[in-house]
Amino acid sequence: MAERIVLLPGDGIGPEVTEQARRVLVAAGAKVGLEFDFVEESIGGCSIDAYGTPLRDEVVEACRSSRAVLLGAVGGPKWDDLPVDIRPEKGLLGIRKALGLFANLRPATVLPALVDASALRPEIVEGVDMLVVRELTGGIYFGEPRGRSGERGNRSATNAMAYDEHEIERITRVAFEQARLRRRHVTHVHKANVLDVSQLWVEVVDEVARDYPDVELAHQLVDSCAMLLVQEPRRFDVIVTGNLFGDILSDEAAMITGSLGMLPSASLAVGGFGLFEPVHGSAPDIAGKDLANPLAAIQSVAMLLETSFGAKEAAGSIRRAVAAVLDAGHRSGDLLLPGETRETVGCRRMGELVLEALDRA
Ligand code: NAD
């Protein structure tokens, strides 16, 4: 039976990269007996243009009755002057909320062929392969009370960081399960020397860890983690942390790889249902020109196969195909180093090269 996947290509380069990712998903899935039935829907600016809203209820319903969602990107200058409530980004926040996507997974891997793309020295970043697991629906971004009060000269503002043990436990379990698929090491990042919330995290993470005796656990203060990420990034396997620290550290980890066009992500709900998307935005400056790098979207479908279908081998075959294409010297424009003059390939061609490499495998 065909597995239903909702495609939300979105705006800018979203449709271009999603199309290449879809083709790779079909090819890699076929090799392990998976067949897909794609339903394409609108989100973000294109949905505003067609329906007057960035996210329709029908789209949420379609996602709920699917096995997984593949999203491109949303937004662009065309919609920048709209009121905040009907901006494209509202569609993204809306779908994350409606689907209860509490766990954000952001791998940061330095491929041998791209080791020079990092701002850090090659000998530091060579072999980096980590996964940041960020709690996405709680913590200080949502805590109550919040707000501002007072007049000029007497103004104050409040945000509250609050977590209950259920929220901490479920994200910690995601991290430990992911660690079992990797090098079996979890680093919990916190600020327990000053925050009560972090002290609860340490307690609950320790309790969950007892169910995973095969996975090693370390607790790390967020400030020293920020330093270690640039000093010794190879030491990290899975990092688990709350919303605020995760927001900052996942971007720091991403930048160690140096290439925005390469980074995939997954956001998971209870039960493992997932939405998969590249980390980059809609890149309006290159949209519609066949210049986008589809590899972040393509690596997002590798995560989809692994997470939603347990198809680890199919995911691995995509990652190996991507590495082979880069090892053979092919680059999209965003992957060129300053001063480098080699010929580049466009979005469609990059997708074809991955398909060819998959075929050869
Ligand atoms: P961006 O990620 O779209 O682009 C930043 C730079 O990286 C641009 O120069 C762009 O050309 C380049 N780039 C990004 N992805 C690329 C790819 N796959 N291949 C080649 N080059 C790539 O970020 P931005 O410019 O800050 O934002 C543009 C729009 O995207 C805004 O409307 C923003 O709100 C939106 N945005 C959406 C998401 C999302 O949908 N998840 C995330 C970030 C930004």
Side-chain angles (χ1 to χ4, degrees), residues 118-121 123-125 128 130 223-236 249 251-253 255-256:
S118 174
L120 300 179
R121 290 200 306 277
E123 63 268 29
I124 295 201
V125 296
V128 163
M130 71 179 101
D223 38 357
S224 58
C225 179
M227 288 195 290
L228 285 168
L229 272 174
V230 288
Q231 195 183 36
E232 215 187 313
R234 262 194 304 269
R235 70 187 281 149
F236 294 102
L249 294 180
D251 272 9
E252 187 187 350
M255 277 307 101
I256 290 167

Side-chain angles (χ1 to χ4, degrees), residues 13 73-76 89 92 260-261 277 280-286 292-293 334:
I13 61 169
V74 303
E89 296 77 9
L92 210 52
L260 192 55
E277 60 181 319
H280 61 73
S282 61
D285 50 332
I286 56 166
N293 178 357
D334 59 305

Side-chain angles (χ1 to χ4, degrees), residues 34-45:
L34 284 168
E35 207 183 301
F36 301 104
D37 160 28
F38 293 98
V39 176
E40 190 166 321
E41 287 287 358
S42 308
I43 190 167

Side-chain angles (χ1 to χ4, degrees), residues 58-303:
E58 296 93 302
V59 176
V60 174
E61 277 319 307
C63 293
R64 284 201 178 114
S65 57
S66 72
R67 286 295 305 274
V69 180
L70 176 63
L71 189 139
V74 303
K78 182 177 178 192
W79 305 282
D80 276 352
D81 296 329
L82 289 173
V84 172
D85 254 18
I86 53 160
R87 291 269 289 269
E89 296 77 9
K90 268 277 166 196
L92 210 52
L93 295 176
I95 195 134
R96 286 178 184 154
K97 189 162 178 224
L99 298 176
L101 304 172
F102 72 93
N104 184 232
L105 275 53
R106 294 244 311 240
T109 308
V110 174
L111 296 175
L114 297 181
V115 79
D116 291 321
S118 174
L120 300 179
R121 290 200 306 277
E123 63 268 29
I124 295 201
V125 296
E126 216 160 25
V128 163
D129 178 9
M130 71 179 101
L131 174 70
V132 180
V133 177
R134 165 188 171 195
E135 202 290 327
L136 203 58
T137 52
I140 197 162
Y141 295 164
F142 299 95
E144 297 285 347
R146 64 186 299 153
R148 293 179 53 140
S149 62
E151 301 300 324
R152 203 184 177 100
N154 194 26
R155 287 169 291 182
S156 66
T158 305
N159 287 97
M161 187 188 275
Y163 273 109
D164 63 37
E165 62 174 294
H166 162 70
E167 290 173 297
I168 302 168
E169 184 188 333
R170 66 181 185 178
I171 190 77
T172 305
R173 287 198 185 279
V174 171
F176 274 91
E177 293 295 335
Q178 288 295 318
R180 278 187 167 162
L181 302 170
R182 302 168 49 93
R183 302 194 302 281
R184 295 177 185 258
H185 189 282
V186 170
T187 305
H188 163 236
V189 175
H190 64 92
K191 189 72 181 168
N193 51 348
V194 284
L195 297 177
D196 298 289
V197 175
S198 285
Q199 287 160 17
L200 179 62
W201 270 77
V202 169
E203 259 173 62
V204 176
V205 169
D206 278 338
E207 285 159 18
V208 172
R210 284 184 210 130
D211 293 340
Y212 299 87
D214 52 322
V215 178
E216 208 181 319
L217 168 68
H219 296 281
Q220 186 81 52
L221 285 166
V222 63
D223 38 357
S224 58
C225 179
M227 288 195 290
L228 285 168
L229 272 174
V230 288
Q231 195 183 36
E232 215 187 313
R234 262 194 304 269
R235 70 187 281 149
F236 294 102
D237 178 18
V238 175
I239 290 177
V240 64
T241 189
N243 207 342
L244 173 65
F245 301 155
D247 192 1
I248 299 163
L249 294 180
S250 59
D251 272 9
E252 187 187 350
M255 277 307 101
I256 290 167
T257 71
S259 32
L260 192 55
M262 295 294 301
L263 298 166
S265 80
S267 300
L268 309 180
V270 174
F273 179 82
L275 179 147
F276 302 83
E277 60 181 319
V279 166
H280 61 73
S282 61
D285 50 332
I286 56 166
K289 297 178 181 162
D290 193 34
L291 290 175
N293 178 357
L295 296 179
I298 287 172
Q299 304 212 82
S300 298
V301 302
M303 291 186 86

